Amino acid sequence: MEAALKNYDDVDSWKTVIFLYNAALKEVGTKLEILNDEFQHVHRYNPIEHIKTRIKTAESIVKKLKRNGHETSIENMVRYVNDIAGVRLICSFTSDIYRLAEMIGNQSDLKVLSVKDYIKNPKESGYKSYHMLVAVPIYLSDSVVDTKVEIQIRTIAMDFWASLEHKIYYKFEGNAPEYISRDLKECAEMVSALDERMLSLNEAIQECLDQQKDFDEPDDPEEAEERMMLRKEISLE
């Protein structure tokens, strides 16, 4: 992208950057919707509950550059700020997270640049999520520009905790009292326990449904015919 911006002044460069990141969000969003629709078609199940997209504000970009010791410029913004364009996928269960990550990684026109698994390795605060940084090609009239998009995948429970944690820390500008940080971490552990319990419950339900299906649809044709006759006899009674 840096090469694509060399012929513009700062104002036009900013507009071009935002245009490219918005285009990248559209591309990734469409791919994810298609994957979700395909999963529903094949498995009768939607792994994605919600898809949220956003472009980082200019204020947030400048703060991040300064926090990391970089001068404020369009070039540094593109080079060092990887989450300007962000997509958040909200799933029901933790198993959906890794399934979706694999499906995204298998997209031939998406290049996975890095992965951060904060589910297996949570942050000190208790934050859990699965982050993927991908590059998506944006086809313009005279060029192709690879544009970075950060994809965050998390469960409903993880998203609930992360949203409230962000609001609480925002009020303290990142300097919350120790007891609040401790309580937040305890809440994160409760969220993890809830996710594990709900996943186990879902697996138990699926096992029961599979057993019922095996009973209702026997492999043996003679047994299937016998059951059909029995159903007819019961209905006549």
Side-chain angles (χ1 to χ4, degrees):
M1 185 188 287
E2 292 177 52
L5 298 174
K6 287 182 178 179
N7 296 326
Y8 299 93
D9 61 28
D10 285 346
V11 174
D12 286 338
S13 289
W14 170 257
K15 292 179 180 178
T16 301
V17 166
I18 298 305
F19 160 75
L20 288 170
Y21 282 121
N22 273 310
L25 285 182
K26 290 179 183 178
E27 288 279 355
V28 173
T30 299
K31 289 178 182 297
L32 294 172
E33 288 175 2
I34 291 172
L35 286 175
N36 202 37
D37 290 346
E38 181 201 8
F39 212 86
Q40 172 65 33
H41 173 69
V42 175
H43 302 286
R44 300 291 188 269
Y45 172 69
N46 294 94
I48 302 175
E49 292 284 344
H50 307 290
I51 300 176
K52 301 176 183 178
T53 62
R54 66 104 180 93
I55 296 290
K56 212 173 187 66
T57 65
E59 181 183 6
S60 295
I61 293 170
V62 170
K63 283 183 178 179
K64 190 161 190 176
L65 284 172
K66 290 182 177 179
R67 187 166 63 246
N68 293 327
H70 302 298
E71 293 184 3
T72 303
S73 67
I74 300 295
E75 290 77 12
N76 284 345
M77 161 186 162
V78 172
R79 183 179 300 171
Y80 298 115
V81 184
N82 292 325
D83 61 344
I84 295 175
V87 178
R88 186 172 298 156
L89 303 183
I90 312 301
C91 307
S92 298
F93 307 105
T94 51
S95 57
D96 294 330
I97 293 174
Y98 293 101
R99 184 178 298 147
L100 280 167
E102 182 180 5
M103 292 163 67
I104 293 169
N106 288 335
Q107 296 288 300
S108 60
D109 55 349
L110 283 183
K111 182 180 180 181
V112 179
L113 302 177
S114 66
V115 169
K116 294 180 180 178
D117 190 343
Y118 294 116
I119 299 172
K120 293 179 179 177
N121 302 288
K123 291 186 178 181
E124 181 63 27
S125 64
Y127 174 85
K128 284 189 171 185
S129 187
Y130 190 94
H131 292 194
M132 303 178 73
L133 181 63
V134 302
V136 56
I138 303 302
Y139 291 88
L140 304 176
S141 59
D142 58 353
S143 62
V144 179
V145 182
D146 286 336
T147 307
K148 292 181 289 187
V149 176
E150 183 187 65
I151 302 174
Q152 298 179 357
I153 317 175
R154 59 178 69 156
T155 64
I156 298 170
M158 291 175 192
D159 189 57
F160 165 75
W161 181 90
S163 297
L164 294 184
E165 187 260 0
H166 177 74
K167 290 180 180 179
I168 291 171
Y169 269 94
Y170 181 79
K171 294 176 182 178
F172 290 100
E173 296 185 349
N175 296 309
E178 190 276 333
Y179 75 92
I180 290 180
S181 298
R182 183 182 64 248
D183 287 352
L184 277 170
K185 192 168 184 178
E186 289 180 4
C187 288
E189 292 170 357
M190 294 178 192
V191 165
S192 295
L194 176 62
D195 267 336
E196 291 175 9
R197 188 73 179 272
M198 295 304 292
L199 177 60
S200 296
L201 181 59
N202 183 61
E203 290 173 345
I205 292 171
Q206 190 59 51
E207 185 177 347
C208 288
L209 292 174
D210 291 341
Q211 290 175 354
Q212 183 64 41
K213 183 178 180 181
D214 290 341
F215 177 80
D216 291 340
E217 300 177 3
D219 295 331
D220 186 351
E222 292 183 5
E223 184 180 352
E225 186 176 353
E226 288 177 4
R227 289 189 185 177
M228 181 66 71
M229 293 298 295
L230 179 61
R231 291 194 186 100
K232 288 182 179 178
E233 290 175 8
I234 292 174
S235 63
L236 289 174
E237 292 176 0

